[in-house]
Amino acid sequence: MKILSTNVYVGPNQYAHFPVIRHIIDLGELEKWPTGKLGASFNDRLVEWLPGLADHGCSYGEAGGFLRRLREDEGTWLGHVMEHVAIELQNVAGSPVTFGKTRSTGDPGQYYMVFQYHDAEVGREASRLALDILHRLLPEELRPAEAPDDDWEFEQSRDRFIRYAQNRALGPSTASLVTAAEQRDIPWIRLNRYSLLQFGHGRYQQRVWATTTTRTSNIAVDLASDKEETNHILRDLGLPVPSQKLARSSTDAKRAARRIGYPVVLKPLSANHGRGVSTNLNTPEEIEVAFDKAREHHRTVIVESFITGLDHRLLVIDGKLVAAAKRVPGHVVGDGRQTIEQLVEEVNQDPRRGVGHEKVLTRLEFDHQAERLLKACGYDRSTVPAEGEVVYLRTTANLSTGGTAIDVTDVIHPDNREMAERAIRGIGLDIGGVDFLTDDITRSYHETGGAICEINAGPGFRMHVAPSEGTPRDVAGPVIEMLFPTGTPARIPIAAITGTNGKTTTSRMLAHILKLNGYTVGLTSTDGLYIDGQLTVEGDMTGPVSAAMALRDPSIDAAVMETARGGLLRAGMGYGKCNVAACLNISADHLGLKGIDTLEQLAEVKRVPIEVATDAAVLNADDELCLRMADYTKAEHLCYVTMNPRHALVKEHIRAGGRAIVLEEGMNGHMITLYDSESHIPLLWTHLIPATIEGRAMHNVQNAMFAAALAFSMGVSLDNIRQGLRTFDTTFFQAPGRMNIYNEHPFKVILDYAHNPAAVKAMCDLVDRFDVEGRRVVVMAAPGDRRDEDIRQIATYAAGHFDHYICRQDDSLRGRSDGEIPGLLRDTLLKHGVEESQIEIIADEQAATNATLERAAAGDLLLILGDKIKRTWKQIIYFGGESPAEPVPGKTQKMPPPADVDEITIDDSVELIRDERGVRIAREPEDSD
């Protein structure tokens, strides 16, 4: 049993609208061994190791369902068992998930095994351990060579996995903020493997590191970290603080203690979580030891008066006290039978206790402070305390050192509440914790005394979110409400555009319209990532990585995401939902790759953005596969685009008050018309849109209709839509590789990236609409990873439209032999009646382009279907030594020879390099378009 491949889907995908991992697994000989045949020993041991499997409902939809499948006469196959084991391991590690599915790939013994995850690395590790578990449980004669060794132990492997998962998990404070954000439909992105998070998208984003936010003042954090300065500021405000002196040697510390008066507290000038703090020191000898411990954390030590009373943490957020907890130092309670060491072990068995901040409570540890306190009582680890005797192992009550917390929010005295709020405002923190010592929090500090011993920037939330006793408090909610007050946006409008052809042009049209409407747009496309029209990363940026890059940019307030099949199949969408989505068309391209063999399967993949659109789904009513997607959208509006004004379904939709963009015939040509809520709005004559070449390029007419539909659904005014379409053209600068026309030679050249049958057909139809005095010549090719029938279809569509055909191949053969692609094209052209004298094979793209240009005569029309678009465009505009008539993106003069580049890998699927201009270039897998 092997894992053949793994895909980590980071967002909505063809399996679920949340993150999942998909393995392709091969059972090999185990295909003949379902669980019914493996027998009760296998099943019983599996449930013994993972008893939580009894709660899995599986296809029965109720607890125990999976066990029924496991123990049926035939049983279930091991791929399905591995899915449930991977899910349960994550649950055991504190990462609750429920979703999974396992289906055959169609090949014997091979399965798609899909399961939910919260942390991708934890999910991958869960599947690796699941495989080890199943291999170990197999009868010895069925175990593969890669099965765990005989000394492998399940408990050790499970515990190691749990520790790994907990080390990667968000801490209690950060996790509570994520929960509060999700409850308010605020998106979030984890920016590193620790606690740095982004809430919101684009310009509306707010960042949080643990409980420090973008609103937290750096000065305030420095003040809170400097205990001496904090003491002075609070004293000047008339707030209760202990007497305090600085010491840089143990002699200074003992002198300060005598002046202040015993008992005293020693702590480092700057530290947190109670590190290096020693309290209730009564002798010079104790001060020497405590000074050395404090010096481990800072060279300057504070000596302050010891204030008696119970330790309380008062949490203030945005100027208001939201929670208060009484903290009890780490301790054990004797039972008259067990030693102190045994009692500590018993306390640490509490499942709520972990290492550091990984759980709501922290394990008790024996260290110098514990040993000192025991020694002061005349005890050691082997002492057996009397029943009910409390033995303290800490003098400070921090949860991070093993303390516990009791919620007292409801009983705190108003004076103490006001005192805490004034203290945090005095330091200048947006989120702060006040450590306050008092015998009775229910009585005013004016009456009972007490003192503020510390102010904490970035205070922990876990004592309030999950107190040992008392009511849990929602302290994360006020933080999110502070960052995003009611009515403040957290999301930017997102448009997702998918389909087989026209995605890039439509995306650029929409981005142009939005820019004219005042938006700063982040655009991802096959050309690169653009921020406000400026190229930031060059290359194919249509996957989830590039989407996340755009949404992290703090300058944008709208995003247009070209969403390609490759990215959806490889990793899903890079965001949870979009405002509007469009599917332009579904036609044969990339079939036979990545398990997608039919147009119906391709449509299922490209349907994902439509499924997660919230405001509007825009569909091509002239494409049956797009039309069927209407059954899957939950968007508020459904908008159809049709070039057939007599479309029966669209007519019914309009009569019902629905939204549609229709191409209608008029006296002056074709009019793009908007229907919405029974309104009929003529939008724009197609010949007024430069990208349509006076209405000839019908594919761009359709692209303009989709851009208009999307813009209207995003709230753009009709006038701005009209102006955007009127000012968008297909120059290389504005839409590289999309019907770029060069007229500065005696002949006309059209450069286009058409690389599938439907796109080539559209370009051939366009050529037919031009009045050409000379010859029509085409340079054509096809990507090597396309099916033979798709390559033949390209040639079939081209046959009969040109006077001369030059067949070439791409630089990357993608698995084909040299000359194979041009040969297929030539043979198909001959089959469809093209004379052999009209066909020429020049395999190299640069040579083919150069030969075509050199042979061109005045009045000719050259259609060059290019692969390396920038290189080919430079060949065209520099041909004959002329200067370029229009700028090339990123260049204003002749480009020097390529320089060496430095490579920077940002993840498994996208590689960034810098070219000689300093522009970042992205390279994704070749099947990403």
Side-chain angles (χ1 to χ4, degrees):
M1 185 173 175
K2 297 180 180 179
I3 297 175
L4 300 181
S5 67
T6 300
N7 288 85
V8 178
Y9 295 93
V10 299
N13 54 81
Q14 67 264 41
Y15 302 105
H17 290 169
F18 44 78
V20 296
I21 289 173
R22 188 196 73 180
H23 295 306
I24 297 179
I25 58 175
D26 187 351
L27 297 189
E29 287 299 312
L30 294 176
E31 172 73 0
K32 303 173 184 176
W33 289 87
T35 56
K37 192 174 179 180
L38 288 171
S41 174
F42 176 91
N43 297 334
D44 292 347
R45 287 188 67 197
L46 176 63
V47 178
E48 178 186 343
W49 283 359
L50 294 170
L53 291 172
D55 296 325
H56 291 212
C58 200
S59 56
Y60 289 100
E62 60 183 15
F66 174 66
L67 296 192
R68 289 172 62 184
R69 291 287 306 278
L70 197 68
R71 292 166 173 163
E72 289 170 349
D73 290 342
E74 186 179 39
T76 188
W77 271 258
L78 289 183
H80 181 214
V81 177
M82 182 178 169
E83 166 209 320
H84 280 270
V85 172
I87 289 171
E88 182 57 25
L89 285 169
Q90 292 181 84
N91 292 334
V92 168
S95 182
V97 294
T98 58
F99 174 83
K101 63 168 62 174
T102 301
R103 301 289 185 271
S104 172
T105 65
D107 295 325
Q110 293 188 11
Y111 294 84
Y112 294 120
M113 194 271 278
V114 180
F115 62 95
Q116 185 182 4
Y117 73 88
H118 289 306
D119 182 289
E121 291 306 313
V122 172
R124 294 172 74 126
E125 189 63 29
S127 60
R128 285 191 283 265
L129 179 55
L131 193 60
D132 283 346
I133 289 172
L134 296 186
H135 281 164
R136 186 61 186 167
L137 289 175
L138 288 171
E140 189 170 348
E141 63 273 15
L142 292 177
R143 290 178 192 166
E146 59 270 19
D149 297 332
D150 291 339
D151 59 354
W152 184 86
E153 292 186 10
F154 166 72
E155 290 80 6
Q156 289 182 358
S157 298
R158 177 201 59 198
D159 292 348
R160 185 164 53 247
F161 169 70
I162 291 173
R163 288 192 294 272
Y164 175 77
Q166 290 177 346
N167 286 337
R168 291 190 59 87
L170 295 172
S173 300
T174 313
S176 68
L177 290 170
V178 167
T179 300
E182 290 176 342
Q183 290 171 348
R184 292 159 176 81
D185 193 33
I186 294 173
W188 62 279
I189 302 171
R190 191 172 184 175
L191 299 179
N192 63 13
R193 59 161 299 195
Y194 302 105
S195 298
L196 180 60
L197 303 181
Q198 173 184 316
F199 292 105
H201 288 155
R203 66 178 297 184
Y204 303 126
Q205 66 179 265
Q206 299 284 342
R207 291 184 180 178
V208 171
W209 193 312
T211 60
T212 301
T213 77
T214 48
R215 291 184 48 176
T216 303
S217 162
N218 188 54
I219 293 176
V221 172
D222 285 347
L223 286 176
S225 300
D226 189 324
K227 294 175 172 56
E228 181 191 27
E229 289 297 334
T230 297
N231 184 281
H232 291 168
I233 289 173
L234 297 183
R235 185 183 301 277
D236 290 344
L237 291 173
L239 296 172
V241 291
S243 300
Q244 198 178 78
K245 292 186 179 297
L246 295 183
R248 290 183 172 82
S249 67
S250 60
T251 301
D252 290 344
K254 287 182 279 190
R255 185 183 302 113
R258 288 196 300 271
R259 292 179 178 177
I260 292 173
Y262 288 101
V264 295
V265 174
L266 260 67
K267 54 188 177 183
L269 178 64
S270 178
N272 53 22
H273 301 306
R275 297 186 183 97
V277 178
S278 300
T279 66
N280 198 16
L281 305 174
N282 290 281
T283 67
E285 292 75 19
E286 290 178 340
I287 286 177
E288 285 190 14
V289 175
F291 181 85
D292 290 340
K293 298 307 297 182
R295 279 292 293 267
E296 292 176 4
H297 302 278
H298 199 278
R299 63 182 181 180
T300 303
V301 174
I302 289 177
V303 182
E304 69 179 23
S305 56
F306 175 67
I307 307 297
T308 60
L310 301 172
D311 189 352
H312 296 81
R313 167 61 63 80
L314 312 180
L315 180 64
V316 177
I317 297 173
D318 199 22
K320 301 293 182 183
L321 185 137
V322 298
K326 179 170 68 176
R327 301 188 297 178
V328 181
H331 65 279
V332 294
V333 180
D335 60 6
R337 295 180 292 102
Q338 299 184 86
T339 66
I340 292 174
E341 188 167 19
Q342 291 170 330
L343 291 170
V344 167
E345 291 176 1
E346 184 178 83
V347 167
N348 285 340
Q349 290 176 4
D350 185 339
R352 296 176 300 170
R353 289 189 182 270
V355 177
H357 288 272
E358 68 181 11
K359 293 189 177 181
V360 296
L361 294 175
T362 301
R363 293 171 59 88
L364 292 175
E365 303 288 346
F366 284 106
D367 59 9
H368 86 283
Q369 190 175 126
E371 301 288 1
R372 179 177 68 83
L373 291 174
L374 291 178
K375 183 178 179 181
C377 299
Y379 292 171
D380 60 25
R381 299 187 189 193
S382 62
T383 301
V384 178
E387 184 174 357
E389 182 183 356
V390 177
V391 179
Y392 287 100
L393 301 175
R394 287 289 181 276
T395 54
T396 59
N398 299 74
L399 266 66
S400 56
T401 58
T404 55
I406 302 169
D407 180 73
V408 294
T409 307
D410 293 332
V411 298
I412 185 172
H413 191 278
D415 288 349
N416 299 337
R417 177 187 295 270
E418 182 188 23
M419 174 267 300
E421 294 171 351
R422 286 187 61 211
I424 296 301
R425 284 198 296 268
I427 298 301
L429 290 168
D430 58 338
I431 303 172
V434 178
D435 289 346
F436 181 60
L437 297 175
T438 181
D439 291 322
D440 189 350
I441 198 69
T442 66
R443 298 168 62 188
S444 170
Y445 73 94
H446 295 297
E447 178 184 351
T448 62
I452 299 171
C453 59
E454 194 168 331
I455 299 293
N456 296 271
F461 286 176
R462 63 175 175 163
M463 72 185 74
H464 309 294
V465 173
S468 309
E469 298 178 32
T471 305
R473 301 291 170 176
D474 175 21
V475 296
V479 175
I480 300 299
E481 289 165 5
M482 173 186 71
L483 297 175
F484 299 96
T486 303
T488 300
R491 296 179 179 272
I492 62 173
I494 299 174
I497 300 170
T498 191
T500 302
N501 293 307
K503 299 185 298 294
T504 301
T505 300
T506 303
S507 298
R508 284 182 166 274
M509 282 181 173
L510 179 59
H512 180 69
I513 293 169
L514 292 174
K515 183 176 176 65
L516 291 183
N517 203 56
Y519 285 101
T520 300
V521 183
L523 167 66
T524 66
S525 73
T526 52
D527 306 322
L529 170 63
Y530 293 82
I531 302 298
D532 198 25
Q534 298 299 312
L535 180 63
T536 301
V537 183
E538 184 176 356
D540 189 340
M541 299 296 288
T542 57
V545 173
S546 53
M549 291 171 67
L551 295 175
R552 292 178 186 180
D553 193 287
S555 63
I556 72 169
D557 51 16
V560 178
M561 308 291 195
E562 181 181 342
T563 306
R565 174 209 63 94
L568 289 171
L569 280 174
R570 186 177 61 253
M573 294 174 65
Y575 42 95
K577 59 185 178 181
C578 55
N579 297 82
V580 297
C583 187
L584 310 186
N585 44 63
I586 301 292
S587 60
D589 195 14
H590 298 280
L591 296 182
L593 299 173
K594 303 291 185 181
I596 304 300
D597 300 312
T598 67
L599 288 176
E600 288 74 18
Q601 291 174 325
L602 182 60
E604 186 177 346
V605 173
K606 291 183 178 289
R607 194 179 69 208
V608 173
I610 303 299
E611 294 175 357
V612 298
T614 58
D615 298 344
V618 183
L619 300 175
N620 186 348
D622 301 330
D623 186 313
E624 183 180 351
L625 291 173
C626 290
L627 203 55
R628 293 177 187 173
M629 296 181 186
D631 293 335
Y632 296 88
T633 185
K634 296 180 181 178
E636 183 179 353
H637 296 283
L638 176 62
C639 179
Y640 289 122
V641 172
T642 180
M643 303 179 77
N644 175 14
R646 291 175 294 280
H647 196 296
L649 185 145
V650 176
K651 278 187 175 182
E652 290 300 318
H653 180 68
I654 291 171
R655 287 169 182 164
R659 184 177 299 172
I661 296 282
V662 181
L663 187 65
E664 297 183 338
E665 188 75 36
M667 294 295 293
N668 292 326
H670 290 102
M671 171 66 73
I672 296 176
T673 306
L674 168 67
Y675 289 89
D676 184 54
S677 301
E678 301 182 355
S679 296
H680 173 241
I681 307 170
L683 191 63
L684 193 62
W685 295 107
T686 60
H687 65 266
L688 298 178
I689 304 172
T692 70
I693 313 178
E694 297 181 340
R696 293 189 186 95
M698 296 304 293
H699 61 288
N700 267 359
V701 170
Q702 188 179 65
N703 292 337
M705 294 168 70
F706 272 100
L710 289 163
F712 182 78
S713 298
M714 297 176 78
V716 178
S717 70
L718 295 175
D719 284 343
N720 280 342
I721 294 174
R722 294 185 181 105
Q723 183 65 12
L725 293 177
R726 282 193 183 112
T727 55
F728 181 88
D729 58 31
T730 59
T731 61
F732 185 83
F733 183 77
Q734 200 159 26
R738 271 66 188 177
M739 207 173 64
N740 308 138
I741 298 178
Y742 194 75
N743 287 314
E744 300 303 313
H745 298 311
F747 46 85
K748 183 187 295 289
V749 184
I750 302 175
L751 172 65
D752 197 89
Y753 183 61
H755 58 280
N756 60 58
V760 171
K761 182 178 185 300
M763 294 308 300
C764 293
D765 292 343
L766 171 65
V767 168
D768 289 345
R769 295 189 182 97
F770 280 98
D771 294 325
V772 180
E773 297 177 3
R775 299 185 309 155
R776 291 179 170 88
V777 180
V778 64
V779 178
M780 59 190 298
D785 58 0
R786 303 311 196 261
R787 302 177 304 172
D788 285 359
E789 54 261 47
D790 296 328
I791 297 170
R792 293 190 185 101
Q793 189 64 59
I794 287 175
T796 300
Y797 282 145
H801 292 273
F802 301 92
D803 301 300
H804 195 70
Y805 300 81
I806 294 181
C807 303
R808 64 162 188 85
Q809 62 192 16
D810 291 346
D811 293 357
S812 173
L813 300 181
R814 301 193 186 191
R816 297 279 184 169
S817 61
D818 188 27
E820 183 178 359
I821 294 296
L824 273 173
L825 293 170
R826 177 197 58 198
D827 293 346
T828 305
L829 289 170
L830 290 171
K831 182 178 178 181
H832 285 81
V834 179
E835 296 292 333
E836 188 169 358
S837 60
Q838 294 179 273
I839 306 171
E840 184 176 1
I841 291 180
I842 304 177
D844 180 75
E845 181 176 18
Q846 295 184 76
T849 301
N850 193 58
T852 304
L853 294 168
E854 287 180 343
R855 300 172 188 174
D860 286 354
L861 187 153
L862 314 182
L863 174 62
I864 299 177
L865 303 180
D867 179 47
K868 299 298 183 183
I869 294 299
K870 181 177 292 186
R871 183 181 70 190
T872 304
W873 183 248
K874 285 193 287 185
Q875 279 187 269
I876 293 168
I877 63 176
Y878 294 150
F879 175 71
E882 299 95 334
S883 298
E886 57 184 320
V888 178
K891 283 298 295 178
T892 56
Q893 57 185 2
K894 195 171 182 69
M895 185 174 289
D900 292 337
V901 296
D902 297 322
E903 297 196 357
I904 311 163
T905 299
I906 60 173
D907 81 349
D908 292 338
S909 61
V910 177
E911 192 175 44
L912 293 183
I913 63 176
R914 284 191 188 275
D915 67 4
E916 73 280 2
R917 298 163 290 158
V919 174
R920 292 191 297 172
I921 304 173
R923 298 196 301 225
E924 295 200 50
E926 291 183 334
D927 67 338
S928 64
D929 53 335

